[in-house]
Amino acid sequence: MKKIKKNIKNKTWFKLDNAGTVFPGQNTPTWSNVIRVSINLKEEVDPEILFKAVKKCLPRFPTMAVRLRNGFFWHYIEKNPEDPVVLPDANNPCLRIKFNENNRYMFKVFYYKNRISLEIFHALTDGYGACVFLNTFTAEYLRMKGYDIPVGGMVLDINEKPKEEEIEDSYVKYASKTGKEKIPLFKTYHRIGEKMPKHTSNITTGYIPVDKIKALSKENGVTITEYLSAVLMYLHMQFQKNENIKQKDVCMQIPVNGRNQFNSQTLRNFSVNYNLRIDPNWGDYTFEEVLRHLSLSLRLTNTPQHLSVMYAGNLAMEKNPVMRFIPIIIKDLAVGITFAIAAEKTTTAIFTNVGIVRIPDEMMEHVKSFILMPSPGQLNGARVGAASIGNTMAITFANMYKDTDVEREFFRFLVKKGIPVKIESNKQ
Amino acid sequence: MSYCVNCGVELAESSNKCPLCDTPVINPNIINPVSTPPAFPENIVIPKSTNNRFNAIIFSILLLIPNVVCVITNLLLTPDLLWSIYVVSSSAMFWFLFVLPFIMKSNKKYLTIAIDAIATALYIFIFYYYNSAQTGWFWKVAVPLDLGVFAGVALLAAYFSKKRPLAQSLIAVFSALTLLNIYICLIVNLYANVVIVTYITIIFGISSLILLLFFIAVEKNNKLKEWLSRKFFF
């Protein structure tokens, strides 16, 4: 029988991808799992043109131009006929996403001086998808301003039809058929302090030259992600040691982009988290030893086979026949409780590095820097995002505590190693 | 271009102190600093909270429907037997306890407790009036117990209006429970001498008194507190 493929543009609803299914259940009146990406241009942003650019790009991203709906058993996303919302930026980014606000879109576009920012609910996409979406509508914005910007890298052709492989759930496609692994959970150390007032957080961005940090990492025989994660891990071990308490594991969470290992072009979620632990009860570690431990652990664990069994482990829950027929209200409740009692308690800090943001050279002439940050946590102070464009790497801390000692020690560490750091913050 | 003398990091032109260590920026070479915009705007957006009042009103209307249906059915089919009064009074009781607090515009906790006390007394009165009005237990037992319990709740609410340490909170709760226990025993025994209530009061009262004394001892004695945390850490 001949299969009739539906035009993706005319498809009115989609299932959430495997990772996306858990995020609506984690949502609370004060917190959502949001990814924020920002691009700093060389000229002030015109909000009216920005709105037109975002609106023009939406049909190219059918899984972003959606609103979230409740099915009886699962959440789903359906085409949103409303206009997107472009807002002036605020001092307190990454606010919770409420599904009936913002014309029911699950992303918000902000502008402030030279900066365009996109905050997107994690149920729709991961850091990579957010970067592609932001770069594509920023390129269109620059075109509307009269510049000639070609497509390429993370800038998609908006005149092209959306591709089937861009909306696929790659977790299902690349999950192992033979093995599965569930991520073990351990209680870990947290650097806690006095919380910031509700809905506010400390955002600190450090800009560093890519060539210098690359050279430093190479000198130590590791990658940039390994080096910077090891700095965070080492600092947390020092904090815990100085607190003179019962020593718990220090666990770094490092999200890994599956697209690097598999031939996936999806614009939906396709990352999983590696939790790399070290037990301080084994004795004192020097920074070099922590770096070696983290680097070797990551290299040992980061294989396509391992990713594949991790996808299978996550999918097992979704495919379980009993789970499938549990009403969504109970599923959301279970996800919320699990998230409250486990989740952040099992990780000390998160370091997510989207890597080099590739855009056409003609667009690069108008761009100063690119920033990626995860939303501030509910327990973890150090939730760190990094992105590089040209020779500038932006490392951003989203911290829910008043004390900024983790970021202070982190950037001081880099300065001591000879890396120049320029700091920006939302502190008033 | 300024650097923090403490951290060694370069600071944004708009910074007048280091965001990492709060050290003020003093650059003697720049006498009249050019004001540049900060990295983030100053305005803080506080998102709207969930409209609980609207949801509570909708729920109240929905709750009204089965009650109206019950009353109409009762009056049409069995006018001699007034069974719908139990359904309506139970719904009303539920509404006063769990829905009304969301409809009230401001958080008036003592008013809410007073309304709940009256609603509970009225609810019990309906059962009393339709079943055993001649015995008089409502006035002798139910009303004093209702007033005593809600007065205790009001006192605890006043005590917990400030955040209290765990040991002090436990002392307050166990004191309230011990007093309530004795009060129930007195009221019930004044109405009718029920031996079983006395036994329960003695067992429960002694247990909570022991716990109360233990928490008071822990709260007062730092050495004991330290010894306990040393012996029973996990």
Side-chain angles (χ1 to χ4, degrees), chain A residues 31-43:
Chain A
W31 189 85
S32 301
N33 206 331
V34 175
I35 302 161
R36 180 178 160 110
V37 279
S38 308
I39 191 162
N40 282 318
L41 301 177
K42 289 181 179 166
E43 58 185 76

PDB file of all heavy atoms in Angstrom, chain A residues 31-43:
ATOM      1  N   TRP A  31       8.696  27.962  39.178  1.00  0.00           N
ATOM      2  CA  TRP A  31       9.891  27.451  38.497  1.00  0.00           C
ATOM      3  C   TRP A  31       9.537  26.634  37.260  1.00  0.00           C
ATOM      4  O   TRP A  31       8.601  25.845  37.280  1.00  0.00           O
ATOM      5  CB  TRP A  31      10.693  26.579  39.468  1.00  0.00           C
ATOM      6  CG  TRP A  31      12.034  26.182  38.937  1.00  0.00           C
ATOM      7  CD1 TRP A  31      13.180  26.907  39.006  1.00  0.00           C
ATOM      8  CD2 TRP A  31      12.382  24.970  38.251  1.00  0.00           C
ATOM      9  NE1 TRP A  31      14.209  26.226  38.405  1.00  0.00           N
ATOM     10  CE2 TRP A  31      13.747  25.031  37.933  1.00  0.00           C
ATOM     11  CE3 TRP A  31      11.664  23.832  37.855  1.00  0.00           C
ATOM     12  CZ2 TRP A  31      14.419  24.010  37.255  1.00  0.00           C
ATOM     13  CZ3 TRP A  31      12.331  22.824  37.185  1.00  0.00           C
ATOM     14  CH2 TRP A  31      13.691  22.910  36.899  1.00  0.00           C
ATOM     15  N   SER A  32      10.303  26.851  36.198  1.00  0.00           N
ATOM     16  CA  SER A  32      10.189  26.012  34.994  1.00  0.00           C
ATOM     17  C   SER A  32      11.593  25.686  34.519  1.00  0.00           C
ATOM     18  O   SER A  32      12.523  26.445  34.772  1.00  0.00           O
ATOM     19  CB  SER A  32       9.483  26.754  33.864  1.00  0.00           C
ATOM     20  OG  SER A  32       8.217  27.152  34.239  1.00  0.00           O
ATOM     21  N   ASN A  33      11.718  24.590  33.799  1.00  0.00           N
ATOM     22  CA  ASN A  33      13.014  24.260  33.216  1.00  0.00           C
ATOM     23  C   ASN A  33      13.124  24.979  31.875  1.00  0.00           C
ATOM     24  O   ASN A  33      12.493  24.592  30.898  1.00  0.00           O
ATOM     25  CB  ASN A  33      13.141  22.747  33.039  1.00  0.00           C
ATOM     26  CG  ASN A  33      14.577  22.325  33.049  1.00  0.00           C
ATOM     27  OD1 ASN A  33      15.466  23.097  32.650  1.00  0.00           O
ATOM     28  ND2 ASN A  33      14.841  21.125  33.512  1.00  0.00           N
ATOM     29  N   VAL A  34      13.879  26.054  31.881  1.00  0.00           N
ATOM     30  CA  VAL A  34      13.946  26.944  30.714  1.00  0.00           C
ATOM     31  C   VAL A  34      15.400  27.034  30.255  1.00  0.00           C
ATOM     32  O   VAL A  34      16.318  26.998  31.066  1.00  0.00           O
ATOM     33  CB  VAL A  34      13.440  28.353  31.113  1.00  0.00           C
ATOM     34  CG1 VAL A  34      13.613  29.345  29.981  1.00  0.00           C
ATOM     35  CG2 VAL A  34      11.982  28.291  31.527  1.00  0.00           C
ATOM     36  N   ILE A  35      15.593  27.156  28.948  1.00  0.00           N
ATOM     37  CA  ILE A  35      16.944  27.409  28.415  1.00  0.00           C
ATOM     38  C   ILE A  35      16.925  28.828  27.872  1.00  0.00           C
ATOM     39  O   ILE A  35      15.973  29.225  27.186  1.00  0.00           O
ATOM     40  CB  ILE A  35      17.273  26.454  27.262  1.00  0.00           C
ATOM     41  CG1 ILE A  35      17.159  25.004  27.709  1.00  0.00           C
ATOM     42  CG2 ILE A  35      18.649  26.739  26.688  1.00  0.00           C
ATOM     43  CD1 ILE A  35      17.009  24.041  26.561  1.00  0.00           C
ATOM     44  N   ARG A  36      17.961  29.602  28.191  1.00  0.00           N
ATOM     45  CA  ARG A  36      18.039  30.967  27.661  1.00  0.00           C
ATOM     46  C   ARG A  36      19.279  31.081  26.778  1.00  0.00           C
ATOM     47  O   ARG A  36      20.389  30.744  27.209  1.00  0.00           O
ATOM     48  CB  ARG A  36      18.109  31.978  28.802  1.00  0.00           C
ATOM     49  CG  ARG A  36      18.196  33.419  28.303  1.00  0.00           C
ATOM     50  CD  ARG A  36      18.201  34.350  29.491  1.00  0.00           C
ATOM     51  NE  ARG A  36      18.726  35.648  29.167  1.00  0.00           N
ATOM     52  CZ  ARG A  36      18.014  36.771  29.100  1.00  0.00           C
ATOM     53  NH1 ARG A  36      16.724  36.748  29.338  1.00  0.00           N
ATOM     54  NH2 ARG A  36      18.585  37.916  28.820  1.00  0.00           N
ATOM     55  N   VAL A  37      19.074  31.540  25.561  1.00  0.00           N
ATOM     56  CA  VAL A  37      20.201  31.828  24.672  1.00  0.00           C
ATOM     57  C   VAL A  37      20.091  33.285  24.242  1.00  0.00           C
ATOM     58  O   VAL A  37      18.991  33.785  23.995  1.00  0.00           O
ATOM     59  CB  VAL A  37      20.238  30.897  23.434  1.00  0.00           C
ATOM     60  CG1 VAL A  37      20.847  29.565  23.760  1.00  0.00           C
ATOM     61  CG2 VAL A  37      18.870  30.708  22.817  1.00  0.00           C
ATOM     62  N   SER A  38      21.239  33.969  24.189  1.00  0.00           N
ATOM     63  CA  SER A  38      21.238  35.390  23.821  1.00  0.00           C
ATOM     64  C   SER A  38      22.315  35.643  22.787  1.00  0.00           C
ATOM     65  O   SER A  38      23.359  34.982  22.796  1.00  0.00           O
ATOM     66  CB  SER A  38      21.537  36.275  25.030  1.00  0.00           C
ATOM     67  OG  SER A  38      20.688  35.951  26.083  1.00  0.00           O
ATOM     68  N   ILE A  39      22.053  36.612  21.934  1.00  0.00           N
ATOM     69  CA  ILE A  39      23.049  37.009  20.951  1.00  0.00           C
ATOM     70  C   ILE A  39      23.254  38.518  21.082  1.00  0.00           C
ATOM     71  O   ILE A  39      22.281  39.277  21.109  1.00  0.00           O
ATOM     72  CB  ILE A  39      22.624  36.546  19.527  1.00  0.00           C
ATOM     73  CG1 ILE A  39      23.756  36.695  18.527  1.00  0.00           C
ATOM     74  CG2 ILE A  39      21.381  37.228  19.026  1.00  0.00           C
ATOM     75  CD1 ILE A  39      23.554  35.867  17.268  1.00  0.00           C
ATOM     76  N   ASN A  40      24.494  38.919  21.259  1.00  0.00           N
ATOM     77  CA  ASN A  40      24.808  40.348  21.368  1.00  0.00           C
ATOM     78  C   ASN A  40      25.217  40.872  20.001  1.00  0.00           C
ATOM     79  O   ASN A  40      26.227  40.424  19.443  1.00  0.00           O
ATOM     80  CB  ASN A  40      25.954  40.568  22.364  1.00  0.00           C
ATOM     81  CG  ASN A  40      25.474  40.492  23.795  1.00  0.00           C
ATOM     82  OD1 ASN A  40      24.421  41.024  24.137  1.00  0.00           O
ATOM     83  ND2 ASN A  40      26.228  39.813  24.639  1.00  0.00           N
ATOM     84  N   LEU A  41      24.439  41.795  19.475  1.00  0.00           N
ATOM     85  CA  LEU A  41      24.749  42.370  18.159  1.00  0.00           C
ATOM     86  C   LEU A  41      25.614  43.617  18.342  1.00  0.00           C
ATOM     87  O   LEU A  41      25.863  44.065  19.467  1.00  0.00           O
ATOM     88  CB  LEU A  41      23.451  42.723  17.430  1.00  0.00           C
ATOM     89  CG  LEU A  41      22.482  41.558  17.183  1.00  0.00           C
ATOM     90  CD1 LEU A  41      21.210  42.064  16.509  1.00  0.00           C
ATOM     91  CD2 LEU A  41      23.126  40.470  16.340  1.00  0.00           C
ATOM     92  N   LYS A  42      26.023  44.194  17.211  1.00  0.00           N
ATOM     93  CA  LYS A  42      26.855  45.397  17.303  1.00  0.00           C
ATOM     94  C   LYS A  42      26.017  46.663  17.220  1.00  0.00           C
ATOM     95  O   LYS A  42      26.542  47.763  17.257  1.00  0.00           O
ATOM     96  CB  LYS A  42      27.925  45.373  16.209  1.00  0.00           C
ATOM     97  CG  LYS A  42      28.984  44.310  16.491  1.00  0.00           C
ATOM     98  CD  LYS A  42      30.069  44.264  15.472  1.00  0.00           C
ATOM     99  CE  LYS A  42      31.084  43.182  15.851  1.00  0.00           C
ATOM    100  NZ  LYS A  42      31.988  42.851  14.771  1.00  0.00           N
ATOM    101  N   GLU A  43      24.717  46.523  17.053  1.00  0.00           N
ATOM    102  CA  GLU A  43      23.843  47.702  17.008  1.00  0.00           C
ATOM    103  C   GLU A  43      22.579  47.443  17.821  1.00  0.00           C
ATOM    104  O   GLU A  43      22.247  46.279  18.109  1.00  0.00           O
ATOM    105  CB  GLU A  43      23.474  48.038  15.563  1.00  0.00           C
ATOM    106  CG  GLU A  43      22.794  46.901  14.835  1.00  0.00           C
ATOM    107  CD  GLU A  43      22.560  47.217  13.360  1.00  0.00           C
ATOM    108  OE1 GLU A  43      23.525  47.169  12.588  1.00  0.00           O
ATOM    109  OE2 GLU A  43      21.407  47.510  13.009  1.00  0.00           O
TER     110      GLU A  43
END
